[in-house]
Amino acid sequence: VTTIEDVRQAVVFGLPDPSLGQKVVAAYETHSGEAVSPAVFAKAMAEKLPSFAIPRAYRFYPSLPVTANGKLDGTRVRTECAD
């Protein structure tokens, strides 16, 4: 995901899905502070990944949440994306 122009940082993870078993989700932030079109992600990911590994949902954050020690707060991101 970070190979896409303007994406500064990203995290990709699986979330439970009743019909798929698990769906791949990407959360990201950009240098510009603007969201990237899902179509841009889909095109870039289709060129590099098998279809099952392509994220089905994208969540833009102006700034990804971090813990008190400055590391990405993966638990918070997963919880917010699951809602």
Side-chain angles (χ1 to χ4, degrees):
V1 175
T2 57
T3 61
I4 297 169
E5 187 176 334
D6 196 30
V7 174
R8 188 172 90 74
Q9 184 174 320
V11 60
V12 178
F13 51 91
L15 287 177
D17 183 271
S19 61
L20 300 173
Q22 186 175 49
K23 70 177 178 181
V24 180
V25 178
Y28 69 96
E29 66 180 65
T30 60
H31 295 284
S32 68
E34 300 290 325
V36 176
S37 163
V40 171
F41 278 115
K43 182 177 186 253
M45 297 296 99
E47 293 171 358
K48 300 178 185 284
L49 297 171
S51 62
F52 69 87
I54 297 172
R56 301 294 183 242
Y58 300 91
R59 171 85 184 255
F60 169 71
Y61 283 86
S63 180
L64 283 165
V66 294
T67 62
N69 63 0
K71 294 183 178 183
L72 176 69
D73 190 343
T75 302
R76 181 173 163 195
V77 172
R78 283 181 182 83
T79 300
E80 291 176 355
C81 289
D83 293 341

